[in-house]
Amino acid sequence: VPAAVPGIVFLSGGQSEIQATANLNAINKFTGAPKPWRLSFSFGRALQASALKAWNGSDVAAGQDQLIRRAAYNGAASLGQYSGEENAGAAAESLFVKAHAY
């Protein structure tokens, strides 16, 4: 990929939110080769799942709290600075869907 490309994003592919965040962190901590681009995931389900579960159709504050928390964790991971989570809850649940079609 040419260095002029500003960033590369990967699909989180059914990983749990925590798995996706940990993998993004590992990618950004890797120093064995030059990385002239920003590396991230395209966090569809892996950013929204716990927020949607907390919201549950009515609890806006809980949904927003989860979304802000996930965004903070993923922001740290995009810099290789994610250090894990104490209370994983819904973020640890697998998002894998057999035969999912995109």
Side-chain angles (χ1 to χ4, degrees):
V1 177
V5 172
I8 299 171
V9 295
F10 304 93
L11 290 172
S12 54
Q15 300 173 68
S16 74
E17 293 173 321
I18 290 177
Q19 287 172 319
T21 304
N23 287 334
L24 174 60
N25 190 63
I27 289 168
N28 282 298
K29 284 183 106 166
F30 178 74
T31 59
K35 295 180 295 196
W37 338 268
R38 295 279 304 188
L39 300 173
S40 188
F41 278 116
S42 174
F43 285 97
R45 289 180 288 162
L47 179 61
Q48 303 170 22
S50 61
L52 289 172
K53 191 169 191 171
W55 170 57
N56 196 29
S58 62
D59 193 342
V60 173
Q64 288 174 335
D65 179 61
Q66 281 297 319
L67 184 63
I68 290 167
R69 181 174 292 132
R70 291 267 33 102
Y73 289 138
N74 292 319
S78 74
L79 301 171
Q81 299 172 354
Y82 172 71
S83 60
E85 301 172 40
E86 293 275 328
N87 185 6
E93 295 175 11
S94 174
L95 300 176
F96 175 75
V97 177
K98 186 176 181 177
H100 182 76
Y102 290 94

Coordinates of all heavy atoms in Angstrom, one line a residue:
V1 N 0.9 -1.2 0.0 CA 0.0 0.0 0.0 C 0.9 1.2 0.0 O 1.8 1.4 0.8 CB -0.9 0.0 1.2 CG1 -1.8 1.3 1.3 CG2 -1.8 -1.2 1.3
P2 N 0.7 2.2 -0.9 CA 1.5 3.4 -1.0 C 1.4 4.2 0.3 O 0.4 4.3 1.0 CB 0.9 4.1 -2.1 CG 0.1 3.2 -2.9 CD -0.3 2.1 -2.0
A3 N 2.5 4.8 0.7 CA 2.6 5.6 1.9 C 1.7 6.8 1.8 O 1.3 7.4 2.8 CB 4.0 6.0 2.2
A4 N 1.3 7.2 0.6 CA 0.4 8.4 0.4 C -1.0 8.1 0.9 O -1.8 9.0 1.1 CB 0.4 8.8 -1.1
V5 N -1.4 6.8 1.0 CA -2.7 6.4 1.5 C -2.7 6.8 3.0 O -1.8 6.4 3.8 CB -3.0 4.9 1.3 CG1 -4.2 4.5 2.0 CG2 -3.0 4.6 -0.1
P6 N -3.7 7.6 3.5 CA -3.6 8.1 4.8 C -4.0 7.1 5.9 O -3.5 7.2 7.0 CB -4.6 9.2 4.9 CG -5.5 9.0 3.7 CD -4.7 8.2 2.7
G7 N -4.8 6.1 5.6 CA -5.1 5.1 6.6 C -5.7 3.8 6.0 O -6.1 3.8 4.8
I8 N -5.6 2.8 6.8 CA -6.2 1.5 6.4 C -7.1 1.0 7.5 O -6.7 1.0 8.7 CB -5.0 0.5 6.2 CG1 -4.1 0.9 5.1 CG2 -5.6 -0.9 5.9 CD1 -2.8 0.1 4.9
V9 N -8.3 0.6 7.1 CA -9.2 0.0 8.2 C -9.5 -1.4 7.8 O -9.6 -1.8 6.6 CB -10.5 0.9 8.3 CG1 -10.1 2.3 8.8 CG2 -11.2 1.0 7.0
F10 N -9.7 -2.2 8.8 CA -10.0 -3.6 8.7 C -11.4 -3.8 9.3 O -11.8 -3.2 10.2 CB -9.0 -4.5 9.4 CG -7.6 -4.3 9.0 CD1 -6.8 -3.4 9.7 CD2 -7.0 -5.0 8.0 CE1 -5.5 -3.2 9.3 CE2 -5.7 -4.8 7.6 CZ -4.9 -3.9 8.3
L11 N -12.2 -4.8 8.8 CA -13.4 -5.1 9.4 C -13.2 -5.9 10.7 O -12.2 -6.7 10.7 CB -14.3 -6.0 8.4 CG -14.8 -5.3 7.2 CD1 -15.5 -6.3 6.2 CD2 -15.8 -4.2 7.6
S12 N -14.0 -5.7 11.7 CA -13.8 -6.4 12.9 C -14.3 -7.8 12.8 O -14.0 -8.7 13.7 CB -14.5 -5.6 14.1 OG -15.8 -5.4 13.8
G13 N -15.1 -8.1 11.8 CA -15.4 -9.5 11.4 C -16.0 -10.4 12.5 O -15.6 -11.6 12.6
G14 N -16.9 -9.9 13.3 CA -17.6 -10.8 14.3 C -16.8 -11.0 15.6 O -17.2 -11.8 16.4
Q15 N -15.7 -10.3 15.7 CA -14.9 -10.4 17.0 C -15.8 -9.7 18.1 O -16.5 -8.8 17.8 CB -13.6 -9.7 16.9 CG -12.7 -10.3 15.8 CD -11.4 -9.4 15.7 OE1 -10.6 -9.3 16.5 NE2 -11.3 -8.7 14.5
S16 N -15.5 -10.1 19.3 CA -16.2 -9.4 20.4 C -15.6 -8.0 20.4 O -14.5 -7.7 19.8 CB -15.9 -10.0 21.7 OG -14.6 -9.9 22.2
E17 N -16.2 -7.0 21.1 CA -15.6 -5.7 21.1 C -14.3 -5.7 21.8 O -13.3 -5.0 21.3 CB -16.6 -4.8 21.9 CG -17.9 -4.6 21.2 CD -18.9 -3.8 22.1 OE1 -19.0 -4.1 23.3 OE2 -19.6 -3.0 21.5
I18 N -14.1 -6.5 22.8 CA -12.8 -6.6 23.5 C -11.7 -7.2 22.6 O -10.6 -6.7 22.5 CB -12.9 -7.3 24.8 CG1 -13.7 -6.4 25.8 CG2 -11.5 -7.6 25.4 CD1 -13.9 -7.1 27.1
Q19 N -12.1 -8.3 21.8 CA -11.1 -8.9 20.9 C -10.7 -7.9 19.8 O -9.5 -7.8 19.5 CB -11.7 -10.1 20.2 CG -11.9 -11.3 21.1 CD -12.7 -12.4 20.4 OE1 -13.7 -12.1 19.7 NE2 -12.3 -13.6 20.6
A20 N -11.7 -7.2 19.3 CA -11.4 -6.2 18.2 C -10.4 -5.1 18.7 O -9.5 -4.7 18.1 CB -12.6 -5.7 17.6
T21 N -10.7 -4.6 19.9 CA -9.9 -3.6 20.5 C -8.5 -4.1 20.8 O -7.5 -3.4 20.6 CB -10.6 -3.0 21.8 OG1 -11.9 -2.6 21.4 CG2 -9.8 -1.9 22.4
A22 N -8.4 -5.3 21.4 CA -7.1 -5.9 21.7 C -6.3 -6.1 20.4 O -5.1 -5.8 20.4 CB -7.2 -7.2 22.5
N23 N -6.9 -6.6 19.4 CA -6.2 -6.8 18.1 C -5.8 -5.5 17.5 O -4.7 -5.4 16.9 CB -7.1 -7.6 17.1 CG -7.2 -9.0 17.6 OD1 -6.3 -9.6 18.2 ND2 -8.3 -9.7 17.2
L24 N -6.6 -4.5 17.5 CA -6.2 -3.1 17.0 C -5.0 -2.6 17.8 O -4.1 -2.1 17.2 CB -7.4 -2.1 17.1 CG -7.1 -0.7 16.8 CD1 -6.6 -0.6 15.3 CD2 -8.3 0.2 17.0
N25 N -5.0 -2.8 19.1 CA -3.9 -2.4 19.9 C -2.6 -3.1 19.5 O -1.6 -2.5 19.4 CB -4.2 -2.6 21.4 CG -3.2 -2.0 22.3 OD1 -3.1 -0.8 22.4 ND2 -2.5 -2.9 23.1
A26 N -2.7 -4.4 19.3 CA -1.6 -5.2 18.9 C -1.0 -4.8 17.6 O 0.2 -4.7 17.4 CB -1.9 -6.7 18.9
I27 N -1.9 -4.5 16.6 CA -1.4 -4.0 15.3 C -0.7 -2.7 15.5 O 0.4 -2.5 14.9 CB -2.6 -3.8 14.4 CG1 -3.2 -5.1 13.9 CG2 -2.3 -2.9 13.2 CD1 -4.6 -5.0 13.2
N28 N -1.2 -1.8 16.3 CA -0.5 -0.5 16.4 C 0.7 -0.5 17.3 O 1.6 0.4 17.3 CB -1.5 0.5 16.9 CG -2.4 1.0 15.8 OD1 -1.9 1.6 14.8 ND2 -3.7 0.7 15.8
K29 N 0.9 -1.5 18.2 CA 2.1 -1.7 19.0 C 3.2 -2.3 18.2 O 4.4 -2.2 18.6 CB 1.8 -2.5 20.2 CG 1.0 -1.8 21.3 CD 0.8 -2.7 22.5 CE 1.8 -2.2 23.6 NZ 1.5 -2.8 24.9
F30 N 2.9 -3.0 17.1 CA 3.9 -3.7 16.3 C 4.9 -2.7 15.8 O 4.5 -1.7 15.1 CB 3.2 -4.5 15.2 CG 4.2 -5.2 14.3 CD1 4.8 -6.3 14.7 CD2 4.5 -4.7 13.0 CE1 5.7 -7.0 13.9 CE2 5.4 -5.4 12.2 CZ 6.0 -6.5 12.6
T31 N 6.2 -3.0 16.0 CA 7.2 -2.1 15.5 C 8.2 -2.8 14.6 O 9.2 -2.2 14.2 CB 8.0 -1.5 16.7 OG1 8.6 -2.6 17.4 CG2 7.1 -0.7 17.6
G32 N 7.8 -4.0 14.1 CA 8.7 -4.7 13.2 C 8.8 -4.3 11.8 O 9.6 -4.9 11.0
A33 N 8.0 -3.3 11.4 CA 8.0 -2.9 10.0 C 7.5 -1.4 10.0 O 6.7 -1.0 10.9 CB 7.1 -3.8 9.1
P34 N 7.9 -0.6 9.0 CA 7.3 0.7 8.9 C 5.8 0.7 8.7 O 5.3 -0.1 8.0 CB 8.0 1.3 7.7 CG 9.0 0.3 7.2 CD 8.8 -1.0 7.9
K35 N 5.1 1.7 9.3 CA 3.7 1.8 9.1 C 3.4 3.3 8.9 O 3.2 4.1 9.8 CB 2.9 1.4 10.4 CG 3.1 -0.1 10.7 CD 2.3 -0.5 11.9 CE 2.9 0.2 13.1 NZ 2.6 -0.2 14.4
P36 N 3.5 3.7 7.6 CA 3.3 5.1 7.3 C 1.8 5.6 7.3 O 1.5 6.7 7.1 CB 3.9 5.3 5.9 CG 3.7 3.9 5.3 CD 3.9 2.9 6.4
W37 N 0.9 4.6 7.6 CA -0.5 5.0 7.6 C -1.1 4.8 9.0 O -0.5 4.1 9.8 CB -1.3 4.0 6.7 CG -0.5 3.3 5.6 CD1 -0.3 3.7 4.4 CD2 0.2 2.1 5.8 NE1 0.5 2.8 3.7 CE2 0.8 1.8 4.5 CE3 0.4 1.2 6.8 CZ2 1.6 0.7 4.3 CZ3 1.2 0.1 6.6 CH2 1.8 -0.1 5.4
R38 N -2.3 5.4 9.2 CA -3.1 5.1 10.4 C -3.7 3.8 10.2 O -4.3 3.5 9.1 CB -4.1 6.2 10.6 CG -3.6 7.6 10.8 CD -3.2 7.8 12.2 NE -4.4 7.5 13.1 CZ -4.4 7.8 14.4 NH1 -3.3 8.3 15.0 NH2 -5.4 7.5 15.1
L39 N -3.7 2.9 11.2 CA -4.3 1.6 11.1 C -5.4 1.5 12.1 O -5.2 1.8 13.3 CB -3.2 0.5 11.4 CG -2.0 0.5 10.4 CD1 -1.0 -0.5 10.9 CD2 -2.4 0.2 9.0
S40 N -6.6 1.1 11.6 CA -7.7 1.0 12.5 C -8.6 -0.2 12.0 O -8.4 -0.8 11.0 CB -8.5 2.3 12.5 OG -9.5 2.2 13.5
F41 N -9.7 -0.4 12.7 CA -10.8 -1.3 12.3 C -11.9 -0.5 11.9 O -12.1 0.7 12.3 CB -11.2 -2.2 13.5 CG -10.4 -3.4 13.7 CD1 -9.7 -3.5 14.9 CD2 -10.3 -4.4 12.8 CE1 -8.9 -4.6 15.1 CE2 -9.5 -5.5 13.0 CZ -8.8 -5.6 14.2
S42 N -12.7 -1.0 11.0 CA -14.0 -0.4 10.6 C -15.0 -1.0 11.7 O -15.5 -2.1 11.5 CB -14.4 -0.8 9.2 OG -15.7 -0.4 9.0
F43 N -15.1 -0.3 12.8 CA -15.9 -0.9 13.9 C -17.4 -0.7 13.8 O -18.0 0.2 14.3 CB -15.5 -0.1 15.2 CG -14.1 -0.5 15.7 CD1 -13.0 0.2 15.4 CD2 -14.0 -1.6 16.5 CE1 -11.8 -0.1 15.9 CE2 -12.8 -2.0 17.0 CZ -11.7 -1.2 16.7
G44 N -18.0 -1.6 13.0 CA -19.5 -1.6 13.0 C -20.0 -2.2 14.2 O -20.2 -1.5 15.2
R45 N -20.2 -3.5 14.2 CA -20.8 -4.2 15.4 C -19.8 -4.1 16.6 O -20.3 -4.0 17.7 CB -21.1 -5.6 15.1 CG -22.2 -5.8 14.1 CD -22.5 -7.2 13.8 NE -21.4 -7.7 12.9 CZ -21.2 -9.0 12.8 NH1 -21.9 -9.9 13.4 NH2 -20.2 -9.4 11.9
A46 N -18.6 -4.1 16.4 CA -17.6 -4.0 17.5 C -17.5 -2.7 18.2 O -16.8 -2.6 19.2 CB -16.2 -4.5 17.0
L47 N -18.2 -1.7 17.8 CA -18.3 -0.4 18.5 C -19.7 -0.2 19.0 O -19.8 0.4 20.0 CB -17.9 0.7 17.5 CG -17.9 2.1 18.1 CD1 -17.0 2.3 19.3 CD2 -17.6 3.2 17.0
Q48 N -20.7 -0.8 18.3 CA -22.1 -0.4 18.7 C -22.8 -1.4 19.6 O -23.7 -1.1 20.2 CB -22.9 -0.3 17.4 CG -22.4 0.7 16.4 CD -23.1 0.5 15.1 OE1 -24.2 0.0 15.0 NE2 -22.5 1.0 14.0
A49 N -22.3 -2.7 19.6 CA -23.1 -3.8 20.2 C -23.4 -3.5 21.7 O -24.6 -3.6 22.1 CB -22.4 -5.1 20.1
S50 N -22.4 -3.2 22.5 CA -22.7 -3.0 23.9 C -23.5 -1.7 24.2 O -24.3 -1.6 25.1 CB -21.4 -3.0 24.8 OG -20.6 -1.9 24.4
A51 N -23.3 -0.7 23.3 CA -24.1 0.6 23.4 C -25.6 0.3 23.1 O -26.4 0.8 23.8 CB -23.5 1.6 22.5
L52 N -25.8 -0.5 22.1 CA -27.2 -0.8 21.7 C -27.8 -1.6 22.8 O -29.0 -1.5 23.1 CB -27.3 -1.5 20.4 CG -26.9 -0.6 19.1 CD1 -26.8 -1.5 17.9 CD2 -28.0 0.5 19.0
K53 N -27.1 -2.6 23.3 CA -27.6 -3.4 24.4 C -27.9 -2.6 25.7 O -29.0 -2.8 26.3 CB -26.6 -4.5 24.7 CG -27.2 -5.6 25.6 CD -26.2 -6.8 25.7 CE -27.0 -7.9 26.4 NZ -26.2 -9.2 26.3
A54 N -27.1 -1.7 26.0 CA -27.3 -0.8 27.2 C -28.5 0.1 26.9 O -29.3 0.4 27.8 CB -26.1 0.0 27.5
W55 N -28.6 0.7 25.7 CA -29.7 1.6 25.4 C -31.0 0.8 25.5 O -32.0 1.3 26.0 CB -29.5 2.1 24.0 CG -30.6 2.8 23.4 CD1 -31.3 3.9 23.9 CD2 -31.3 2.6 22.1 NE1 -32.3 4.3 23.1 CE2 -32.3 3.5 22.0 CE3 -31.1 1.6 21.2 CZ2 -33.2 3.5 20.9 CZ3 -32.0 1.6 20.1 CH2 -33.0 2.6 20.0
N56 N -31.1 -0.4 24.9 CA -32.3 -1.3 24.9 C -33.6 -0.6 24.5 O -34.6 -0.8 25.1 CB -32.4 -1.9 26.3 CG -33.3 -3.1 26.4 OD1 -33.5 -3.7 25.4 ND2 -34.0 -3.3 27.5
G57 N -33.4 0.4 23.6 CA -34.6 1.0 23.1 C -35.1 2.2 23.9 O -36.0 3.0 23.4
S58 N -34.5 2.5 25.1 CA -35.1 3.6 25.9 C -34.1 4.3 26.8 O -34.2 5.4 27.1 CB -36.2 3.1 26.7 OG -35.8 2.1 27.6
D59 N -33.0 3.6 27.2 CA -32.1 4.2 28.2 C -31.0 4.9 27.4 O -29.9 4.4 27.3 CB -31.5 3.1 29.1 CG -30.8 3.7 30.3 OD1 -30.4 4.9 30.3 OD2 -30.6 2.9 31.3
V60 N -31.3 6.1 27.0 CA -30.3 6.9 26.2 C -29.0 7.1 27.0 O -27.9 7.0 26.4 CB -30.9 8.3 25.8 CG1 -29.9 9.2 25.1 CG2 -32.1 8.0 24.9
A61 N -29.1 7.5 28.2 CA -27.8 7.8 29.0 C -26.9 6.5 29.1 O -25.7 6.7 28.9 CB -28.2 8.3 30.4
A62 N -27.5 5.4 29.3 CA -26.7 4.1 29.4 C -26.1 3.8 28.0 O -24.9 3.4 28.0 CB -27.6 3.0 29.9
G63 N -26.8 4.0 27.0 CA -26.3 3.8 25.6 C -25.1 4.7 25.3 O -24.1 4.3 24.8
Q64 N -25.3 6.0 25.6 CA -24.3 7.0 25.4 C -23.0 6.7 26.2 O -21.9 6.8 25.7 CB -24.8 8.4 25.7 CG -25.8 8.9 24.7 CD -26.4 10.2 25.0 OE1 -26.5 10.6 26.2 NE2 -26.9 10.9 24.0
D65 N -23.2 6.3 27.5 CA -22.1 6.0 28.3 C -21.3 4.8 27.7 O -20.0 4.9 27.7 CB -22.6 5.6 29.7 CG -21.5 5.2 30.7 OD1 -20.6 6.1 30.9 OD2 -21.4 4.1 31.2
Q66 N -21.9 3.8 27.3 CA -21.2 2.6 26.6 C -20.5 3.1 25.4 O -19.4 2.6 25.1 CB -22.2 1.5 26.4 CG -22.6 0.7 27.6 CD -21.3 0.0 28.1 OE1 -20.5 -0.5 27.4 NE2 -21.2 0.0 29.4
L67 N -21.2 3.9 24.5 CA -20.5 4.3 23.3 C -19.3 5.1 23.6 O -18.2 4.9 22.9 CB -21.5 5.1 22.4 CG -21.0 5.5 21.1 CD1 -20.7 4.3 20.2 CD2 -22.0 6.4 20.4
I68 N -19.4 6.0 24.5 CA -18.2 6.9 24.9 C -17.1 6.0 25.4 O -15.9 6.2 25.1 CB -18.6 8.0 25.9 CG1 -19.5 9.0 25.2 CG2 -17.4 8.6 26.5 CD1 -20.2 9.9 26.1
R69 N -17.4 5.0 26.3 CA -16.4 4.1 26.8 C -15.7 3.3 25.7 O -14.5 3.2 25.7 CB -17.1 3.1 27.8 CG -16.1 2.2 28.5 CD -16.8 1.3 29.6 NE -17.1 2.2 30.7 CZ -18.3 2.2 31.3 NH1 -19.3 1.4 30.9 NH2 -18.6 3.0 32.3
R70 N -16.5 2.7 24.8 CA -15.9 2.0 23.7 C -15.0 2.9 22.8 O -14.0 2.5 22.4 CB -17.0 1.3 22.8 CG -17.7 0.2 23.5 CD -17.3 -1.2 23.3 NE -15.9 -1.4 23.1 CZ -15.1 -1.9 24.1 NH1 -15.5 -2.2 25.3 NH2 -13.8 -2.2 23.9
A71 N -15.5 4.1 22.5 CA -14.7 5.0 21.7 C -13.4 5.3 22.4 O -12.4 5.4 21.8 CB -15.5 6.3 21.4
A72 N -13.4 5.5 23.7 CA -12.2 5.8 24.5 C -11.2 4.6 24.4 O -10.0 4.8 24.1 CB -12.5 6.2 25.9
Y73 N -11.7 3.4 24.6 CA -10.9 2.2 24.5 C -10.3 2.1 23.1 O -9.1 1.8 22.9 CB -11.6 1.0 24.9 CG -12.0 0.8 26.3 CD1 -13.2 0.4 26.7 CD2 -11.1 1.1 27.3 CE1 -13.6 0.2 28.0 CE2 -11.4 1.0 28.7 CZ -12.7 0.5 29.0 OH -13.0 0.4 30.3
N74 N -11.1 2.3 22.1 CA -10.6 2.1 20.7 C -9.7 3.2 20.3 O -8.8 3.0 19.5 CB -11.8 2.0 19.7 CG -12.5 0.7 20.0 OD1 -11.9 -0.3 20.2 ND2 -13.9 0.7 19.9
G75 N -9.9 4.4 20.8 CA -9.0 5.5 20.6 C -7.6 5.2 21.2 O -6.6 5.4 20.5
A76 N -7.6 4.7 22.4 CA -6.3 4.2 23.0 C -5.6 3.1 22.2 O -4.4 3.2 21.9 CB -6.5 3.8 24.4
A77 N -6.4 2.2 21.7 CA -5.9 1.1 20.9 C -5.4 1.6 19.6 O -4.4 1.0 19.1 CB -7.0 0.0 20.7
S78 N -6.0 2.6 19.0 CA -5.4 3.1 17.7 C -4.1 3.8 17.9 O -3.4 4.0 16.9 CB -6.4 4.1 17.1 OG -6.4 5.4 17.8
L79 N -3.7 4.0 19.1 CA -2.4 4.6 19.4 C -1.4 3.5 20.1 O -0.3 3.8 20.4 CB -2.5 5.7 20.4 CG -3.3 6.9 19.9 CD1 -3.5 7.9 21.1 CD2 -2.7 7.6 18.7
G80 N -2.0 2.3 20.2 CA -1.2 1.2 20.8 C -1.1 1.4 22.3 O -0.2 0.9 23.0
Q81 N -2.1 2.0 23.0 CA -2.1 2.3 24.4 C -3.2 1.7 25.2 O -3.4 2.1 26.3 CB -2.1 3.8 24.6 CG -0.9 4.5 23.9 CD -0.9 6.0 24.0 OE1 -1.9 6.6 24.3 NE2 0.1 6.7 23.5
Y82 N -3.9 0.8 24.6 CA -5.0 0.1 25.3 C -4.5 -0.9 26.3 O -3.6 -1.6 26.0 CB -5.9 -0.6 24.3 CG -7.0 -1.5 24.8 CD1 -8.1 -1.0 25.4 CD2 -6.9 -2.9 24.7 CE1 -9.1 -1.8 25.9 CE2 -7.9 -3.8 25.1 CZ -9.0 -3.2 25.7 OH -10.0 -4.0 26.2
S83 N -5.0 -0.8 27.5 CA -4.5 -1.7 28.6 C -5.5 -2.6 29.2 O -5.3 -3.2 30.2 CB -3.9 -0.8 29.7 OG -4.9 0.0 30.3
G84 N -6.6 -2.8 28.5 CA -7.6 -3.8 28.9 C -8.7 -3.1 29.7 O -8.8 -1.9 29.8
E85 N -9.7 -4.0 30.1 CA -10.9 -3.5 30.8 C -11.1 -4.3 32.0 O -11.0 -5.5 32.1 CB -12.1 -3.6 29.8 CG -11.8 -2.8 28.6 CD -12.9 -3.0 27.5 OE1 -14.1 -3.1 27.9 OE2 -12.6 -3.1 26.3
E86 N -11.6 -3.6 33.1 CA -12.0 -4.2 34.3 C -13.3 -4.9 34.2 O -13.4 -6.1 34.5 CB -12.1 -3.1 35.4 CG -10.8 -2.5 35.8 CD -10.0 -3.3 36.8 OE1 -10.7 -3.9 37.6 OE2 -8.8 -3.2 36.8
N87 N -14.4 -4.2 33.8 CA -15.7 -4.8 33.7 C -16.1 -4.9 32.3 O -16.6 -3.9 31.7 CB -16.6 -3.9 34.5 CG -18.0 -4.5 34.6 OD1 -18.3 -5.6 34.2 ND2 -19.0 -3.7 35.2
A88 N -16.0 -6.1 31.7 CA -16.2 -6.2 30.2 C -17.7 -6.3 29.9 O -18.1 -5.7 28.9 CB -15.5 -7.5 29.7
G89 N -18.5 -7.0 30.6 CA -19.9 -7.1 30.4 C -20.2 -7.5 28.9 O -19.6 -8.4 28.4
A90 N -21.1 -6.7 28.3 CA -21.5 -7.1 26.9 C -20.4 -7.0 25.9 O -20.4 -7.6 24.9 CB -22.6 -6.1 26.5
A91 N -19.3 -6.2 26.2 CA -18.2 -6.0 25.3 C -17.4 -7.3 25.1 O -16.7 -7.5 24.1 CB -17.3 -4.9 25.8
A92 N -17.6 -8.3 26.0 CA -16.9 -9.6 25.9 C -17.6 -10.6 25.1 O -17.1 -11.6 24.7 CB -16.6 -10.1 27.3
E93 N -18.9 -10.3 24.8 CA -19.7 -11.2 24.1 C -19.3 -11.3 22.6 O -19.1 -10.3 21.9 CB -21.2 -10.8 24.1 CG -21.7 -10.9 25.6 CD -23.2 -10.4 25.7 OE1 -23.8 -10.1 24.6 OE2 -23.6 -10.2 26.8
S94 N -19.3 -12.6 22.1 CA -19.0 -12.8 20.7 C -20.0 -12.1 19.8 O -21.2 -12.2 20.1 CB -18.9 -14.3 20.4 OG -18.7 -14.5 19.0
L95 N -19.6 -11.5 18.7 CA -20.5 -10.9 17.7 C -20.5 -11.8 16.4 O -21.1 -11.3 15.4 CB -20.0 -9.5 17.4 CG -20.0 -8.6 18.6 CD1 -19.5 -7.2 18.2 CD2 -21.4 -8.5 19.2
F96 N -20.0 -13.0 16.5 CA -19.9 -13.9 15.3 C -21.3 -14.3 14.9 O -22.2 -14.7 15.8 CB -19.1 -15.1 15.6 CG -19.1 -16.1 14.5 CD1 -18.3 -15.9 13.4 CD2 -19.8 -17.3 14.6 CE1 -18.3 -16.8 12.3 CE2 -19.8 -18.2 13.6 CZ -19.1 -17.9 12.4
V97 N -21.7 -14.2 13.7 CA -22.9 -14.7 13.1 C -22.6 -15.6 12.0 O -22.0 -15.2 11.0 CB -23.8 -13.5 12.6 CG1 -25.1 -14.0 12.0 CG2 -24.1 -12.5 13.7
K98 N -23.0 -16.9 12.1 CA -22.7 -17.9 11.1 C -23.3 -17.5 9.8 O -24.5 -17.1 9.8 CB -23.2 -19.3 11.6 CG -22.7 -20.4 10.7 CD -23.2 -21.7 11.2 CE -22.7 -22.8 10.3 NZ -23.0 -24.1 10.8
A99 N -22.5 -17.6 8.7 CA -23.0 -17.4 7.4 C -23.5 -15.9 7.2 O -24.4 -15.7 6.4 CB -24.1 -18.4 7.0
H100 N -23.0 -15.0 8.0 CA -23.4 -13.6 7.8 C -23.0 -13.1 6.5 O -21.9 -13.3 6.0 CB -22.7 -12.7 8.9 CG -23.1 -11.3 8.9 ND1 -24.3 -10.9 9.3 CD2 -22.4 -10.2 8.4 CE1 -24.4 -9.6 9.2 NE2 -23.2 -9.1 8.6
A101 N -23.9 -12.4 5.8 CA -23.7 -11.9 4.5 C -23.6 -10.3 4.6 O -24.4 -9.7 5.2 CB -24.8 -12.2 3.5
Y102 N -22.5 -9.8 4.0 CA -22.3 -8.3 4.0 C -22.9 -7.7 2.8 O -22.9 -8.2 1.8 CB -20.8 -8.0 4.2 CG -20.3 -8.3 5.5 CD1 -19.6 -9.5 5.7 CD2 -20.4 -7.4 6.6 CE1 -19.1 -9.8 7.0 CE2 -19.9 -7.7 7.8 CZ -19.3 -8.9 8.0 OH -18.8 -9.2 9.3

